[in-house]
Amino acid sequence: MGTQRRAPSPRSGRFTGPGAFLVVAALGAFGLFGGLSLLLIGGLNTGLQGLVFGMALGVLPVPVYVSLALWLDRYEKEPGWMLVGAFAWGATVALFFSFVLNTASGITVGLLLGAPAGDFFASVVSAPIVEESMKGLALLILFFWKRDEFDGVVDGVVYAAMVGLGFAMVENFSYYGVALGEGGVAGGAAAFLVRGILTPFNHPLYTAMFGIGLGLARESGRTWVKVVAPVTGLTAAMTLHSLWNATSYLAPGLGGLALMISVLVLPPLAGVVFAVSLSLKREGRIIRENLRPELRSGLISEPEYEALGSVRGRLRSTMRAFFKGLSQWRSQRRFNQAASELAFHRHRAARGLSPPGDEAHYLDDLVRLRGRF
């Protein structure tokens, strides 16, 4: 009799099957086409030297910003392939369609009302609507398709950040390359200072408005919230984007930049941080409420139970495990993740968002990891 294999967890984050392969292949092919097209267009605008310069500066800070975005997801890490997919969508699909539609709208209005009007329309009207719609489409797909991986505001903000960072990274290739051609190294460095250091979170911030709206829709049981919150979030994203572009168009220079950062970046960014902090407290309560059976059974000790429902507690437990060795640290992180997945599954099942019968898989994962330390 062969060894019995454990059934994979329904929330393992894996995307399998023939249909899944075809979807991934199609999106990958289109993403590759879009990415290569954008690089070709960028190269024509900036030249090879400018393109290489722009790509180098565009990629340089991204690992830091991605790490900051992922750090927000303290309780239940999202599957890596979904995070990479969100980033790639922003860098290729969203940016490609945005470029095509914005260019077409600018040319059309320019032919009717003159080139200045076309440029203004493309920047202040078309770009906010098209770009936020294309970036938001990735969130909408994840919201409906992977309901067990989109639990609330935190997930919405994290996915939005990945889409926005991917979009901004490739968009900056051209900006930096053009700045190099027009102003030399000093011009390229100035563009990097403004776009890569002072305002790197604009696109993630705009898209986070929609992510928060979708997160609130997921968290709420009220029908009107499920409709109003996403619409309000997308409207806020487009409005912020439009105001930023209009101000930069009408009030260029350091004074205008300082005004935009102080009014259009810092307050909304503080609002996103506040929304995430409230959502993290909610997630902590969900974990504590849904892990009580394991506390009573002794599978989870009282100190572990308290730590699992607290951001600080989790940080302390993983740090203690780290000083006991890399293997212990990995086991602790996996145990924390398994406990979170079990708790969130129970929460979703109680709301009719996940099949109750899947609980055995999550509990089996937790029991298996319990035996490692």
Side-chain angles (χ1 to χ4, degrees):
M1 183 175 179
T3 303
Q4 186 176 7
R5 297 182 64 183
R6 187 173 62 90
S9 167
R11 198 173 185 275
S12 62
R14 295 176 182 173
F15 185 38
T16 58
F21 175 78
L22 291 176
V23 171
V24 171
L27 289 176
F30 185 82
L32 181 62
F33 168 77
L36 292 175
S37 299
L38 290 169
L39 289 178
L40 176 61
I41 294 169
L44 293 175
N45 288 336
T46 66
L48 180 59
Q49 182 180 8
L51 179 61
V52 173
F53 177 84
M55 291 177 65
L57 286 187
V59 172
L60 182 63
V62 168
V64 176
Y65 299 146
V66 167
S67 298
L68 289 175
L70 297 182
W71 188 89
L72 297 175
D73 203 4
R74 303 312 306 160
Y75 285 113
E76 189 185 30
K77 302 297 183 182
E78 308 310 320
W81 69 267
M82 291 180 63
L83 297 170
V84 171
F87 186 91
W89 177 283
T92 57
V93 178
L95 187 57
F96 176 78
F97 276 111
S98 295
F99 173 80
V100 171
L101 295 175
N102 287 337
T103 301
S105 67
I107 292 174
T108 301
V109 174
L111 291 174
L112 295 174
L113 302 176
D119 292 341
F120 184 84
F121 181 86
S123 176
V124 178
V125 179
S126 175
I129 295 174
V130 172
E131 292 177 10
E132 297 313 317
S133 296
M134 291 309 306
K135 289 185 293 177
L137 182 58
L139 303 187
L140 208 58
I141 291 172
L142 295 176
F143 180 82
F144 286 108
W145 175 45
K146 298 296 292 181
R147 295 191 302 173
D148 56 350
E149 299 291 358
F150 203 127
D151 292 306
V153 168
V154 174
D155 291 350
V157 171
V158 170
Y159 289 131
M162 297 303 292
V163 176
L165 287 171
F167 190 101
M169 180 188 74
V170 179
E171 184 183 51
N172 283 339
F173 292 172
S174 179
Y175 278 102
Y176 296 154
V178 170
L180 175 71
E182 294 178 350
V185 175
F192 176 73
L193 175 64
V194 172
R195 298 185 64 88
I197 303 298
L198 296 178
T199 62
F201 299 119
N202 281 24
H203 276 293
L205 177 62
Y206 304 147
T207 312
M209 299 292 106
F210 187 43
I212 290 173
L214 290 174
L216 291 174
R218 177 69 82 222
E219 293 176 4
S220 177
R222 297 182 176 89
T223 302
W224 70 269
V225 174
K226 293 181 179 296
V227 175
V228 172
V231 172
T232 302
L234 185 58
T235 302
M238 294 176 178
T239 302
L240 275 176
H241 196 157
S242 179
L243 289 173
W244 175 273
N245 286 1
T247 306
S248 61
Y249 193 92
L250 299 173
L254 293 178
L257 178 63
L259 174 65
M260 290 188 292
I261 292 176
S262 60
V263 176
L264 299 177
V265 174
L266 295 181
L269 186 60
V272 170
V273 172
F274 180 69
V276 168
S277 66
L278 290 181
S279 187
L280 285 173
K281 290 181 179 179
R282 168 187 170 272
E283 291 186 354
R285 289 194 299 270
I286 289 173
I287 289 173
R288 289 191 296 272
E289 290 170 1
N290 288 278
L291 290 182
R292 285 172 183 162
E294 284 61 47
L295 174 63
R296 289 193 294 266
S297 69
L299 182 61
I300 295 176
S301 67
E302 181 71 33
E304 287 175 329
Y305 173 79
E306 295 298 331
L308 286 168
S310 162
V311 172
R312 291 182 180 179
R314 284 181 174 238
L315 289 173
R316 285 194 295 265
S317 67
T318 52
M319 285 300 296
R320 285 195 297 267
F322 178 79
F323 288 110
K324 294 179 181 179
L326 188 59
S327 176
Q328 193 78 356
W329 176 73
R330 288 174 177 169
S331 295
Q332 182 69 62
R333 284 170 56 89
R334 290 170 182 166
F335 182 81
N336 291 351
Q337 177 75 6
S340 294
E341 290 183 354
L342 174 61
F344 276 101
H345 168 74
R346 285 174 174 164
H347 179 71
R348 288 191 301 270
R351 301 176 62 205
L353 297 175
S354 292
D358 289 343
E359 180 175 323
H361 293 280
Y362 298 99
L363 187 56
D364 183 45
D365 283 342
L366 189 64
V367 171
R368 177 175 55 85
L369 291 167
R370 170 81 287 174
R372 295 188 179 182
F373 65 100

